[in-house]
Amino acid sequence: MAKKATVNFVCQECGYDSPQWLGKCPECGSWNSMKEFTIRNNVSRLATGSAVLEIAKPQKLQEIASQETSRIQTKYQELNNVLGGGIVKGSAILIAGDPGVGKSTLLLQLALSLSQGLESAQKSAYKVLYISGEESVEQVKMRADRVAVTIFGAKTENNNLYLVSLTDADAIVEQIADMKPDLVIIDSIQTVESQNVSGLSGSVAQVRYSALQFIRVAKQYAIPIVIVGHVTKEGMVAGPMVLSHMVDTVLFLEGEKFAKTRILRSLKNRFGPVDEVGIFLMEENGMQEISSPDQLFLGPLANSEQVTPGSVLVSTLEGSRAFLVEIQALVVTTRLPMPRRVVSGVDGRRVELLLAVLQKHCHLPLDTMDVFVNVAGGMKLTDPGIDLGICLAVYSSLKNIALEKTVGIAEVGLLGELRVVSGLDKRVKESEKLGFKNIVTAKKYKTLREVLTRVSKSEYLNPKSEPNTNDKN
Ligand code: TYD
Ligand code: MG
């Protein structure tokens, strides 16, 4: 019996679908975002999936092969860690990030190294299919030659990496089913489209349909599939948002345009821990992994003898690792009725809250000051354990007191109380390892006020620094 074409309305913001048009999306509340799309059931045999995909039958639990044993270990230990121990066969991984952050470069390096068979003792080389919808195969080849020098030390013959420039989702599925490679990389989901769905490439309907087809074929042949998704500055565009519900693992590659540091985070992982991070550097010839990023997030002055007011270190916990990061603050008298708060690398509202706590409980005249807060090294911090560090940096700049090699590790509450944060021992150990001796924690001090009083009584005072004479407070 031939099925009728299905008409659906899909929210362009969040991907909610409904059989009828609605003015307001019940899922995300956005107005006028429902767009019609049609799946014409008879256009392609792949549209229903029946020709390629057999119907799965229930299996006994014991008969199902355990997936833990079949992980592909990549050359990059940082990537393995973020994935929870390697790439699980048949898993769908989304790598999201701003355009130009280095997703294609990282994946090409992964493809090159896997197809050379450097990583695994059991298998000589993996067959990798790299589908590029953004660049021509010649462009990818040019980049491959460049990064191969970094990975292997020279240009090498590589017979196991297959490149194709394709944007037709159904053709891609057919290619995968024909070739059955060990790993598929699709760069990027925003460029693929299918005749079976209306709408331009990158629209929710297209992204959803294409991803669904890829994931189904990946699951059926147990081929791991890596999908690239761009994110725009306006927030998560339709693509990655819809996708993150469909895939097993969501990785986010972040980094500033003009800094080299790239941080790979797992936001969702069905096969491992989340919030794990991997650190890379974007170099001239590709991405390099950094397994001990000791000095990476410290500004050039953090380790020097001459200590500058406004600089304090925090020890932040990312996944299972602690990193020492420098927080810089600059506090100056404002000329504006609404003082400025310019913040990068941490949540602006969190900083506002901390400034309010400092003003109320420590009597600092911050309502007449412009405050600028910055995280060195391009790291974005969400850990509440950095609160004390931010407060200390602000205080240090306001009073013009240089805090010598000081690390603040505590969450600050609304009443100005300090709270012990998770993984304290690990954070303290990391600080000591790097030679930072003044470690302020909630175990030693109960309130923010107590800490600041000790600081002003020269407990952590650098004798060379002079108090700010302009400051009346
Ligand atoms: P790319 O991997 O194309 O980013 P994405 O796929 O996430 O959009 O990276 C593009 C940027 O990286 C570009 O600005 C140039 C820079 N780059 C390097 O610095 N070194 C390199 O070896 C390569 C290949 C790119
Ligand atoms: Mg790219």
Side-chain angles (χ1 to χ4, degrees):
M1 193 175 68
K3 279 192 216 153
K4 272 192 270 170
T6 331
V7 179
N8 251 349
F9 295 87
V10 175
C11 171
Q12 298 291 299
E13 299 294 328
C14 70
Y16 177 85
D17 71 310
S18 138
Q20 86 208 68
W21 188 84
L22 299 165
K24 183 183 177 188
C25 172
E27 180 93 1
C28 66
S30 37
W31 287 93
N32 225 355
S33 61
M34 305 293 272
K35 291 268 166 3
E36 177 183 338
F37 83 99
T38 320
I39 296 182
R40 278 167 269 143
N41 285 320
N42 297 327
V43 175
S44 159
R45 68 194 171 93
L46 293 164
T48 56
S50 57
V52 174
L53 307 165
E54 294 134 24
I55 296 166
K57 291 202 179 69
Q59 281 173 280
K60 282 189 186 157
L61 183 63
Q62 300 103 293
E63 287 165 7
I64 300 169
S66 172
Q67 283 189 322
E68 282 308 311
T69 51
S70 48
R71 278 183 191 257
I72 299 176
Q73 293 292 318
T74 76
K75 174 183 156 65
Y76 299 102
Q77 207 47 51
E78 292 288 293
L79 179 63
N80 290 342
N81 286 346
V82 172
L83 288 168
I87 302 173
V88 174
K89 300 257 171 81
S91 66
I93 301 164
L94 169 69
I95 294 204
D98 293 335
V101 76
K103 302 179 294 296
S104 306
T105 310
L106 181 64
L107 291 178
L108 186 63
Q109 284 178 239
L110 173 70
L112 276 169
S113 61
L114 280 179
S115 58
Q116 280 283 340
L118 288 177
E119 293 66 38
S120 170
Q122 311 110 26
K123 197 164 173 187
S124 56
Y126 291 96
K127 193 153 102 179
V128 181
L129 176 60
Y130 189 106
I131 298 159
S132 176
E134 300 195 336
E135 293 157 301
S136 67
V137 287
E138 290 78 17
Q139 280 172 309
V140 180
K141 162 90 174 147
M142 251 167 60
R143 185 189 302 215
D145 287 344
R146 215 165 83 178
V147 299
V149 180
T150 340
I151 308 177
F152 311 116
K155 262 196 242 178
T156 45
E157 289 298 310
N158 191 316
N159 296 323
N160 259 315
L161 175 55
Y162 294 80
L163 296 176
V164 58
S165 187
L166 251 185
T167 54
D168 183 328
D170 301 310
I172 292 174
V173 172
E174 242 166 310
Q175 289 284 341
I176 299 171
D178 274 354
M179 197 176 144
K180 301 191 186 65
D182 298 307
L183 176 73
V184 179
I185 294 167
I186 295 171
D187 188 0
S188 67
I189 192 73
Q190 271 93 358
T191 55
V192 297
E193 56 187 342
S194 165
Q195 300 280 308
N196 293 317
V197 184
S198 66
L200 294 172
S201 57
S203 67
V204 169
Q206 287 287 0
V207 164
R208 234 161 66 128
Y209 174 86
S210 313
L212 196 63
Q213 302 304 318
F214 301 152
I215 293 167
R216 276 164 72 179
V217 75
K219 294 271 181 259
Q220 197 202 354
Y221 297 112
I223 302 168
I225 185 159
V226 183
I227 301 171
V228 173
H230 290 297
V231 174
T232 57
K233 277 276 174 269
E234 294 88 61
M236 304 283 272
V237 273
M241 213 35 193
V242 173
L243 272 174
S244 56
H245 300 304
M246 302 166 72
V247 295
D248 301 307
T249 304
V250 179
L251 304 184
F252 205 91
L253 188 62
E254 63 186 39
E256 299 292 321
K257 263 259 155 68
F258 302 104
K260 282 182 177 178
T261 322
R262 299 288 181 269
I263 297 152
L264 188 67
R265 262 177 219 282
S266 66
L267 301 184
K268 162 182 174 179
N269 196 352
R270 288 193 181 137
F271 306 110
V274 285
D275 290 331
E276 212 47 73
V277 294
I279 313 286
F280 293 85
L281 279 188
M282 177 60 111
E283 297 288 3
E284 200 98 313
N285 289 316
M287 299 265 256
Q288 234 161 28
E289 66 174 343
I290 307 291
S291 45
S292 56
D294 289 353
Q295 304 292 329
L296 209 55
F297 304 110
L298 304 184
L301 296 179
N303 256 330
S304 68
E305 284 308 306
Q306 185 213 344
V307 192
T308 321
S311 156
V312 168
L313 298 159
V314 293
S315 185
T316 172
L317 205 64
E318 301 284 342
S320 54
R321 286 196 290 180
F323 295 98
L324 221 57
V325 184
E326 183 185 352
I327 304 273
Q328 302 176 337
L330 180 64
V331 180
V332 288
T333 314
T334 189
R335 295 184 192 288
L336 301 170
M338 274 273 280
R340 271 178 295 185
R341 273 82 177 95
V342 183
V343 175
S344 80
V346 280
D347 180 16
R349 273 172 306 177
R350 186 83 201 159
V351 173
E352 298 242 14
L353 185 149
L354 294 173
L355 295 179
V357 171
L358 281 169
Q359 182 169 339
K360 176 90 179 169
H361 297 288
C362 307
H363 312 295
L364 303 183
L366 290 167
D367 52 344
T368 56
M369 301 281 173
D370 285 334
V371 179
F372 305 86
V373 176
N374 178 39
V375 177
M379 187 111 162
K380 290 193 176 65
L381 302 177
T382 50
D383 176 6
I386 63 167
D387 286 358
L388 179 60
I390 297 174
C391 292
L392 279 173
V394 168
Y395 184 76
S396 157
S397 176
L398 175 73
K399 298 284 182 185
N400 219 19
I401 299 172
L403 300 179
E404 200 179 355
K405 294 199 183 268
T406 302
V407 188
I409 313 171
E411 186 180 346
V412 175
L414 285 184
L415 308 179
E417 81 277 22
L418 299 185
R419 299 195 193 126
V420 176
V421 286
S422 61
L424 185 62
D425 292 345
K426 211 177 257 177
R427 299 182 200 231
V428 171
K429 232 180 252 161
E430 180 69 18
S431 318
E432 286 169 346
K433 196 181 97 193
L434 297 185
F436 292 92
K437 39 191 181 183
N438 293 330
I439 303 167
V440 190
T441 66
K443 282 210 169 140
K444 288 190 218 156
Y445 299 94
K446 290 288 158 267
T447 64
L448 186 57
R449 194 165 176 187
E450 231 178 281
V451 178
L452 298 188
T453 315
R454 290 295 280 274
V455 169
S456 61
K457 282 190 190 147
S458 82
E459 183 82 351
Y460 299 110
L461 203 67
N462 178 9
K464 274 175 259 166
S465 71
E466 288 174 9
N468 191 351
T469 43
N470 298 335
D471 207 61
K472 290 175 229 73
N473 238 282

